[in-house]
Amino acid sequence: MSGGVVIAGLGPGTEALITPEVSSALDWATDIVGYIPYVRRVTPRAGLTLHESDNRVELDRSRHALEMASEGRRVVVVSSGDPGVFAMASAVFEAVEAGPEAWRALDIRVLPGITAMLAAAARAGAPLGHDFCAINLSDNLKPWALIEKRLRLAAQADFAMAFYNPRSKSRPEGFGRALRLLQEECGDARPILFARAVSTPEERITCVPLTEATEDMADMRTVVILGNSATRIIPRPEGQFVYTPRSVPE
Amino acid sequence: MSGGVVIAGLGPGTEALITPEVSSALDWATDIVGYIPYVRRVTPRAGLTLHESDNRVELDRSRHALEMASEGRRVVVVSSGDPGVFAMASAVFEAVEAGPEAWRALDIRVLPGITAMLAAAARAGAPLGHDFCAINLSDNLKPWALIEKRLRLAAQADFAMAFYNPRSKSRPEGFGRALRLLQEECGDARPILFARAVSTPEERITCVPLTEATEDMADMRTVVILGNSATRIIPRPEGQFVYTPRSVPE
């Protein structure tokens, strides 16, 4: 069997959300490459080498995967969620484009996974049931001004919004600024959801009116979902459902 | 075991993309409810009743599911892709909100699935690897003017875009108008992908420059993905990769 690189999404946490396609790829692999906590989700076995690396070395990790595949190894690059949503797939293709011509002939496949916003939305009800956008709030790889521009335009478009990477130790300020901008642009008390570690034992989902949201409600393990102007709450005996209607009246 | 409603996503087509969580729900069910082609993806077995219904009766179907659950049946409402993305979850919650108070006490859960845009993106490379939006191009439930407004704002925000329901027999004109608007707003030849019936034997993926896109490239089984201004193509010996870089320079 010849080598290759599979970029696979492990979903948000539980094994019950890993697709059979991804499970097969993990069985096929000789090498697993990824950020430490994601590699640790893969069960060790004889014949499988686990290569853990730290955050922020996505290009190095990609090159390592591609080099091993060139030597005939069967490499699976693991991402949390879906590898194509703010995860490893783009990094691998950046490395391919900048790398030796021979890498373009490698067998490279992306296997989708359940991305955090959709797992979180399902837990809460259906807050992304109408048009929506997904924005990475980290300004490590893009200017903060572009994030603000996108938030303003998304509010004007009345998209529901999902925010990845809202806040980290190295970026403590941005999320508060984003919240204040959204409070001003949206001008209402639509629901905002903070979904932390969905589908893991540490899962915690909080829903508050946008007017009461504060930056300490999110951390790096949180995905945030802001409703659109029509998003509704259905109170129920235990908890509530949050959903966005399919229709917008004429 | 008491009844309930599970709204489950079957993914885009292949069984390899159905999560174990959804497979368990199908085993648990006494009744399957859904649009004809999706119900037909469920393997019949003793003790399982299949209730097929036509398109555009989402609220009737939802009420039927909730009524059966009230009688203690274990009902799974099946959607293609993810039930929270332009699918059945919002319809069920609309029915809950408008229905008898007792429905709010039912056990209702949403199980996420692999939505079409992420399956399509994975096949092509990583076109949604940076900020993006998802827009339903059907104007059955919202005014066309709102779709146009969202397309313009999304282009100004430089989002990659995924379009669901681009075209149907009853709406032959809209997609052409959307394409002309995007050609004007984007003003470049960025890649646009037409991904039909992803992960099924009829899968067909076409990528052309936006300037050359025509409305006959899509039908109701197609999800369309438009890159952002930085989306790149990597030519390779067989086919190509399409990806959107993670970074935007200052």
Side-chain angles (χ1 to χ4, degrees), chain B residues 172-184:
Chain B
E173 301 300 329
F175 184 54
R177 281 197 275 169
L179 277 180
R180 288 187 290 276
L181 184 156
L182 291 165
Q183 284 160 344
E184 179 192 307

Side-chain angles (χ1 to χ4, degrees), chain A residues 21-43:
Chain A
E21 184 177 75
V22 168
S23 295
S24 297
L26 296 175
D27 291 342
W28 163 88
T30 57
D31 298 85
I32 305 286
V33 170
Y35 178 42
I36 302 161
Y38 307 150
V39 172
R40 292 197 181 161
R41 288 176 54 194
V42 177
T43 311

Side-chain angles (χ1 to χ4, degrees), chain B residues 10-93:
Chain B
L10 298 178
T14 175
E15 294 210 2
L17 291 178
I18 299 179
T19 67
E21 185 176 75
V22 168
S23 295
S24 298
L26 296 175
D27 291 342
W28 162 90
T30 56
D31 299 83
I32 305 287
V33 170
Y35 178 42
I36 303 161
Y38 307 150
V39 172
R40 293 199 180 159
R41 288 176 53 195
V42 178
T43 310
R45 60 173 163 78
L48 182 68
T49 307
L50 304 177
H51 307 265
E52 299 177 348
S53 45
D54 209 346
N55 215 344
R56 300 224 195 171
V57 295
E58 291 79 8
L59 280 179
D60 291 340
R61 183 189 297 149
S62 300
R63 285 188 286 262
H64 183 209
L66 291 158
E67 280 159 13
M68 286 194 289
S70 301
E71 295 158 6
R73 316 266 319 158
R74 302 190 295 272
V75 185
V76 175
V77 179
V78 289
S79 277
S80 178
D82 182 285
V85 178
F86 312 127
M88 281 302 297
S90 281
V92 171
F93 291 117

Side-chain angles (χ1 to χ4, degrees), chain B residues 146-159:
Chain B
L146 180 61
I147 296 175
E148 291 206 345
K149 179 182 173 186
R150 286 182 176 154
L151 294 174
R152 280 189 206 286
L153 291 166
Q156 288 164 28
D158 201 15
F159 284 128

Side-chain angles (χ1 to χ4, degrees), chain A residues 14-22 58-59 82-87 89-91 93-97 101 103-115 117-119 121-137 139 141-144 146-147 149-151 153-154 156-159 228 232-238 241-250, chain B residues 14-22 58-59 82-87 89-91 93-97 101 103-115 117-119 121-137 139 141-144 146-147 149-151 153-154 156-159 228 232-238 241-250:
Chain A
T14 174
E15 294 210 4
L17 290 178
I18 299 179
T19 67
E21 184 177 75
V22 168
E58 289 81 8
L59 280 180
D82 181 284
V85 178
F86 311 128
S90 281
F93 291 117
E94 285 169 39
V96 169
E97 191 175 20
E101 187 73 19
W103 283 357
R104 300 185 183 206
L106 288 172
D107 182 16
I108 301 174
R109 282 175 298 145
V110 182
L111 306 186
I114 302 291
T115 186
M117 67 177 167
L118 297 185
R123 278 288 202 273
L128 302 177
H130 192 80
D131 302 335
F132 67 94
C133 64
I135 300 178
N136 185 344
L137 289 186
D139 60 351
L141 296 172
K142 65 187 166 194
W144 180 260
L146 179 61
I147 296 175
K149 178 183 173 187
R150 286 183 176 153
L151 293 174
L153 291 166
Q156 288 164 28
D158 200 16
F159 283 128
N228 75 10
R232 301 189 55 78
I233 288 178
I234 308 177
R236 54 199 304 248
E238 292 177 38
F241 294 123
V242 182
Y243 83 99
T244 304
R246 301 165 304 149
S247 306
V248 175
E250 287 281 351
Chain B
T14 175
E15 294 210 2
L17 291 178
I18 299 179
T19 67
E21 185 176 75
V22 168
E58 291 79 8
L59 280 179
D82 182 285
V85 178
F86 312 127
S90 281
F93 291 117
E94 285 169 40
V96 169
E97 190 174 20
E101 187 73 20
W103 284 358
R104 299 185 183 206
L106 289 172
D107 182 17
I108 302 174
R109 284 175 297 144
V110 182
L111 306 187
I114 302 292
T115 186
M117 67 177 166
L118 298 185
R123 277 288 201 272
L128 302 177
H130 192 79
D131 302 334
F132 66 94
C133 64
I135 300 178
N136 185 346
L137 288 186
D139 60 351
L141 296 172
K142 64 186 167 195
W144 180 259
L146 180 61
I147 296 175
K149 179 182 173 186
R150 286 182 176 154
L151 294 174
L153 291 166
Q156 288 164 28
D158 201 15
F159 284 128
N228 74 11
R232 300 187 58 76
I233 288 178
I234 308 178
R236 54 197 305 247
E238 292 177 37
F241 294 123
V242 182
Y243 84 100
T244 303
R246 302 165 303 149
S247 307
V248 175
E250 287 282 352

Side-chain angles (χ1 to χ4, degrees), chain A residues 45-127:
Chain A
R45 61 174 162 78
L48 182 69
T49 307
L50 304 176
H51 307 266
E52 300 177 347
S53 45
D54 208 346
N55 215 342
R56 298 222 195 177
V57 295
E58 289 81 8
L59 280 180
D60 290 340
R61 183 189 298 148
S62 299
R63 284 188 285 262
H64 182 208
L66 292 158
E67 279 159 12
M68 286 194 289
S70 302
E71 294 158 5
R73 316 265 321 157
R74 301 189 296 271
V75 185
V76 175
V77 178
V78 288
S79 277
S80 177
D82 181 284
V85 178
F86 311 128
M88 282 301 297
S90 281
V92 171
F93 291 117
E94 285 169 39
V96 169
E97 191 175 20
E101 187 73 19
W103 283 357
R104 300 185 183 206
L106 288 172
D107 182 16
I108 301 174
R109 282 175 298 145
V110 182
L111 306 186
I114 302 291
T115 186
M117 67 177 167
L118 297 185
R123 278 288 202 273

